[in-house]
Amino acid sequence: MMYNNTNRGMIQNRERARQIIDFSGIRYGNITPTDIDGFFERANEAFVFYELKFREAEMPKGQEVALKRLVDATTKANKKAVLFLCRHEVEDTTKDVNAATAIVKKIYFNGEWYNGNGRTLKELSDSFMKWAVPDFLNQTKGADSD
């Protein structure tokens, strides 16, 4: 299936999405690959990373270090970058998680962690993009369904 305006951001192949990628064969001492739940960039100006965890599950230390370093390196290259660590409450693993309504637990920005203060990922993502690329939300108006 090809992406278009009505299915952009949706899972295109559910069977492939359920398929686990096993990185255990790629190991260097105690270092193994990690994943990123979501990422986008806008015009080489703004880089946004998303990590979602179920309820109060903690981000593994290695994943946290890797994602923080990725944000730091991007920021050091004079780009605007942020990491949102979120929680969701969808216990049934056969049900989709709506990332937009996930609650942001912490935000990693400019080398510091900040509290998400109970706000949703959509709210804080919009807020970051409004700051990082001021006309971005106006340029994309009508492209999403809110």
Side-chain angles (χ1 to χ4, degrees), residues 72-115:
D72 291 343
T74 305
T75 302
K76 193 177 241 183
N78 294 316
K79 308 299 179 184
K80 297 168 183 163
V82 66
L83 166 62
F84 293 108
L85 175 59
C86 310
R87 68 174 168 80
H88 71 85
E89 299 288 331
V90 182
E91 191 164 343
D92 184 344
T93 59
T94 67
K95 303 287 185 201
D96 292 349
V97 173
N98 181 350
T101 62
I103 301 301
V104 176
K105 290 170 53 174
K106 297 193 298 186
I107 305 155
Y108 186 73
F109 176 73
N110 276 345
E112 299 288 332
W113 281 109
Y114 299 91
N115 191 314

